[in-house]
Amino acid sequence: MPTRPRVRHAVVTAMLGAALVGCTAPQNVGQARSAGATTSGETSASESTTTPKPYLTTTPTLEVTGEAVKPGTKLKFGEQAIIPFYSHYAKGVIELTVTVESVKAPDADIDGLPLKDEDKAKLRGKNFFFVREKLTNVDGSNMAEVYTPILSAKTKSGGWPGSLLGMGDADVTGCEDQNFAPKDFSTKGAVFESCRLHFGVASDPITSLSYTSQPYESADSRAVTWRNK
């Protein structure tokens, strides 16, 4: 499992009125994301003996074919969608299921987050939203160590939930901050489940999550969107 970089403090951003700092929409990032990097000119000892990574620096073109859902597809939370995907090693398709759980944020978990005291204070009394993703390797492509899809979340009010920007340790009870698939996520039928932490107020929960990476787009008519109903 790739080692996750740690930072002492993460930046808090949220759409909670004036409650927390910032209100910038989350930015979508590429599917195959490196867990670490080597200094220019250096090569790790194991690099020369590992499987080639043709998409480490090159982004492949993905297409909607076969069972893959069409742009603009709408689903309910818990329903499955087959989407084109890629890792550093290969292109393929995965089955993606998305659910959201809302729980009151325990003070003990807030205290454990890599935040400044003033930011922790702003989370007291708020809710954690656990965005859970279940990935299934549909065709046996080598999806080892792939970074789980980044989904654009919207709340009931039309805003964005809070999130932690950065790669600090954001583990809380019921939601482990681990979003890189294991090395054995490379066989047909392999399953990997992840959880991404958001936060907000109970009265304004997450009601939709959209996948907008290629071959889909950010426009509602071109995204794959899960909704609470």
Side-chain angles (χ1 to χ4, degrees), residues 1-23:
M1 187 76 67
T3 300
R4 290 176 292 157
R6 306 283 184 181
V7 295
R8 179 59 58 185
H9 294 294
V11 178
V12 182
T13 179
M15 192 65 173
L16 301 177
L20 294 177
V21 180
C23 56

Side-chain angles (χ1 to χ4, degrees), residues 154-159 203-208 228:
K154 287 286 188 71
T155 65
K156 182 179 179 180
S157 67
S203 60
D204 193 25
I206 292 175
T207 55
S208 73
N228 63 337

Side-chain angles (χ1 to χ4, degrees), residues 51-201:
T51 305
K53 299 180 179 181
Y55 304 128
L56 179 61
T57 57
T58 301
T59 301
T61 298
L62 301 180
E63 299 178 347
V64 178
T65 59
E67 297 179 272
V69 295
K70 298 183 182 303
T73 296
K74 305 292 189 297
L75 306 108
K76 295 179 181 178
F77 288 160
E79 291 186 331
Q80 302 164 338
I82 293 178
I83 60 174
F85 211 62
Y86 75 96
S87 68
H88 289 151
Y89 304 97
K91 295 194 296 183
V93 289
I94 62 168
E95 183 179 83
L96 178 60
T97 305
V98 178
T99 59
V100 179
E101 180 184 358
S102 176
V103 300
K104 186 172 181 180
D107 286 344
D109 282 334
I110 293 173
D111 290 336
L113 292 173
L115 300 172
K116 297 179 180 179
D117 289 342
E118 56 266 34
D119 288 328
K120 291 179 181 179
K122 294 169 186 175
L123 291 180
R124 309 282 182 198
K126 302 299 188 298
N127 270 39
F128 285 152
F129 302 135
F130 300 157
V131 174
R132 303 187 189 279
E133 298 180 38
K134 179 181 177 181
L135 283 66
T136 302
N137 189 323
V138 174
D139 59 358
S141 299
N142 188 354
M143 294 290 164
E145 304 170 310
V146 73
Y147 193 69
T148 55
I150 295 289
L151 303 175
S152 180
K154 287 286 188 71
T155 65
K156 182 179 179 180
S157 67
W160 295 282
S163 62
L164 298 182
L165 299 182
M167 294 296 289
D169 186 352
D171 289 353
V172 297
T173 303
C175 187
E176 181 183 358
D177 181 29
Q178 178 53 267
N179 293 295
F180 287 96
K183 292 182 178 180
D184 60 0
F185 192 57
S186 57
T187 58
K188 185 175 182 178
V191 174
F192 172 60
E193 297 185 44
S194 70
C195 181
R196 191 165 276 115
L197 177 66
H198 296 273
F199 44 82
V201 293

Side-chain angles (χ1 to χ4, degrees), residues 40-57:
S40 178
E42 294 181 349
T43 302
S44 67
S46 62
E47 191 171 324
S48 60
T49 60
T50 57
T51 305
K53 299 180 179 181
Y55 304 128
L56 179 61
T57 57

